[in-house]
Amino acid sequence: MIPFNKPFLTGNETKYIAEAVQSGKISGDGIFTQKCHQFFEKKYGFKKALLTTSCTDALEMAAILLDIKEGDEVIAPSYTFVSTVNAFVLRGAKIIFVDSGGENPNMNVENIEPLITKRTKVILPVHYAGIACDMDRIMALAKKHELFVVEDAAQAIDSYYKGKPLGSIGHLSCFSFHETKNIISGEGGMLAINDERFIKRAEIIREKGTNRSSFFRGEVDKYGWVDIGSSFLPSEVIAAFLFAQIENIEQIQAKRKLIWETYHQKLSAFSKGNFTLPHIPEYATNNAHMFYLVLNSLETRTKLITYLKSFDVLTVFHYLSLHKSPFYESKYNGGELKQADHYQDTLLRLPFYYSLTTNEVEFICGKINDFFKENPSLK
Ligand SMILES: *Cc1c(COP(=O)(O)O)cnc(C)c1O
């Protein structure tokens, strides 16, 4: 059986967890959390990194930090994970969904400006599959209309836009360390802050609305309730796990890129007319978060999933357009989003994880080739 995902362990996770437990400090913001913060700030140039219990929580922190209120508008893709926008809906925002582009599922930058109104506060690009959105154009629009940019970089660790790390460009950025991502801690996330104005308040929001972080640094002599907030910080057990992963980030990324290249090379040989391969624009890098195909129809995808399953290969489709979701459909009054619906129906993700072998990748690609040979009408 070739599953869709298998978490990769570097070997030091339980060792570091034991150290955290033995240190006597297992709540948040201990040594391992600090080590993780320092690593991310140094490697990716974030002004401030704050671990959170999930990317969902980091997004919720972003919405609080930007003072999102009833009636504010947030421009986000429809082809994304629920949390991208749910975090803003929780604070009363109206989501203005923008279509994906024709080349990949990222938001179509051409379509953003006509959606901007007096109520728009945020543009929320999602770097799908770790492939960068066109950030120069998004940042220019934000500047022109005085908007904030929050990057949903959940899938985008160690990926770049014109040489800049993703997550270091928007005012705020949110990462995920869920077990399906490149670098994991089971559940986990991070808020990256690139606009210094938000640092102090972010620490408060993350610590239940208290100035506990300042207190522990000796900046105030007692701590109390100073703002709204919640408990967004992970325990040291999670941070210890994560540290074992980030110590091996180079090795993890090198292996994932090799798997990605193998898929790309094998599938290129017979993709023509059958499916399209991921498009990586010139300004973007590939962090090998996932490997997907875009098929010609829903029927082809459904049959290919069943075909591969009969050989014990598990492949999965991805998002359902959020503007048509049971929760948001009645609230949505924008136009058709044809590309989002297209990816909803035709995008297929192939098994992708560290321990996937070259033989397994070749086997999967061979079966995809067989499928199209056996079903010429499904091209
Ligand atoms: C995984 C993911 C999230 C949510 O991450 P969690 O850490 O599970 O909360 C949000 N947005 C995108 C695009 C994701 O891929």
Side-chain angles (χ1 to χ4, degrees):
M1 172 78 84
I2 305 179
F4 170 66
N5 181 56
K6 245 190 222 175
F8 169 66
L9 301 179
T10 68
N12 277 337
E13 286 82 357
T14 44
K15 179 172 160 239
Y16 290 163
I17 288 172
E19 276 178 36
V21 171
Q22 279 148 20
S23 79
K25 158 107 179 138
I26 50 176
S27 61
D29 280 343
I31 305 277
F32 282 106
T33 302
Q34 280 163 28
K35 283 183 168 188
C36 291
H37 288 174
Q38 278 160 12
F39 173 87
F40 289 117
E41 286 164 12
K42 187 153 171 265
K43 187 163 172 73
Y44 301 117
F46 310 137
K47 298 261 166 58
K48 183 82 194 164
L50 290 172
L51 293 192
T52 56
T53 42
S54 63
C55 180
T56 302
D57 270 357
L59 286 156
E60 284 183 36
M61 283 184 68
I64 296 172
L65 275 167
L66 299 178
D67 280 324
I68 298 300
K69 291 185 285 293
E70 196 70 39
D72 287 344
E73 293 179 358
V74 173
I75 298 176
S78 178
Y79 192 76
T80 186
F81 189 60
V82 178
S83 295
T84 310
V85 293
N86 189 61
F88 291 80
V89 169
L90 274 172
R91 312 227 66 81
K94 177 170 175 154
I95 308 302
I96 308 298
F97 288 110
V98 62
D99 207 0
S100 297
E103 293 190 318
N104 65 36
N106 285 345
M107 55 174 29
N108 184 347
V109 179
E110 302 289 336
N111 294 5
I112 297 175
E113 198 160 28
L115 299 175
I116 296 173
T117 71
K118 285 199 159 40
R119 289 185 294 274
T120 310
K121 265 194 113 166
V122 181
I123 305 175
L124 195 28
V126 179
H127 306 298
Y128 186 79
I131 299 166
C133 294
D134 193 346
M135 291 308 291
D136 279 351
R137 294 179 65 196
I138 291 170
M139 295 309 287
L141 279 174
K143 196 164 182 203
K144 179 173 166 195
H145 296 277
E146 295 178 37
L147 308 174
F148 292 109
V149 174
V150 178
E151 293 175 66
D152 182 336
Q155 303 173 11
I157 194 78
D158 207 50
S159 202
Y160 295 78
Y161 171 79
K162 297 185 180 173
K164 289 182 207 156
L166 293 185
S168 72
I169 305 166
H171 299 83
L172 301 167
S173 303
C174 306
F175 288 89
S176 175
F177 306 118
H178 184 264
E179 77 167 25
T180 52
K181 306 301 201 273
N182 295 33
I183 303 297
I184 62 174
S185 60
E187 302 282 348
M190 172 170 66
L191 178 70
I193 303 169
N194 302 308
D195 181 332
E196 278 121 344
R197 287 176 298 173
F198 294 114
I199 294 176
K200 205 162 178 203
R201 188 162 178 240
E203 287 182 336
I204 290 167
I205 289 165
R206 181 166 165 274
E207 270 282 19
K208 302 95 180 163
T210 73
N211 54 355
R212 198 161 181 263
S213 299
S214 298
F215 173 72
F216 281 119
R217 284 195 298 263
E219 294 161 8
V220 292
D221 55 15
K222 53 180 182 292
Y223 83 85
W225 187 17
V226 294
D227 202 336
I228 61 166
S230 191
S231 189
F232 290 120
L233 74 170
S235 83
E236 277 289 285
V237 176
I238 299 282
F241 192 113
L242 184 63
F243 190 68
Q245 293 265 316
I246 60 183
E247 273 191 331
N248 289 283
I249 190 165
E250 306 292 339
Q251 174 201 342
I252 292 171
Q253 289 299 88
K255 181 72 199 296
R256 292 184 73 104
K257 283 177 192 169
L258 188 73
I259 295 167
W260 200 99
E261 289 303 334
T262 308
Y263 263 131
H264 194 265
Q265 195 203 335
K266 299 282 165 214
L267 292 170
S268 295
F270 57 91
S271 62
K272 206 160 182 289
N274 294 326
F275 50 83
T276 49
L277 292 166
H279 173 76
I280 301 173
E282 221 180 307
Y283 52 69
T285 59
N286 169 30
N287 74 341
H289 172 62
M290 72 165 86
F291 200 96
Y292 67 83
L293 305 177
V294 180
L295 300 156
N296 292 335
S297 70
L298 176 58
E299 187 200 356
T300 305
R301 186 178 71 183
T302 308
K303 290 198 166 141
L304 179 56
I305 292 173
T306 310
Y307 182 84
L308 292 172
K309 206 171 179 182
S310 73
F311 296 98
D312 283 338
V313 175
L314 295 187
T315 58
V316 289
F317 52 86
H318 213 180
Y319 305 126
L320 302 175
S321 294
L322 293 177
H323 70 292
K324 288 188 173 167
S325 61
F327 179 67
Y328 221 82
E329 191 172 28
S330 61
K331 301 171 186 61
Y332 181 69
N333 53 11
E336 262 198 279
L337 304 175
K338 289 210 168 101
Q339 290 297 342
D341 293 343
H342 175 64
Y343 293 116
Q344 161 186 283
D345 290 342
T346 60
L347 187 146
L348 183 67
R349 295 181 292 160
L350 305 182
F352 204 99
Y353 48 87
Y354 186 95
S355 58
L356 191 65
T357 65
T358 302
N359 279 346
E360 285 168 330
V361 173
E362 284 172 356
F363 176 77
I364 296 164
C365 296
K367 290 299 168 205
I368 295 172
N369 196 5
D370 292 348
F371 172 81
F372 284 104
K373 279 197 212 144
E374 289 169 28
N375 299 278
S377 65
L378 290 176
K379 287 195 172 190

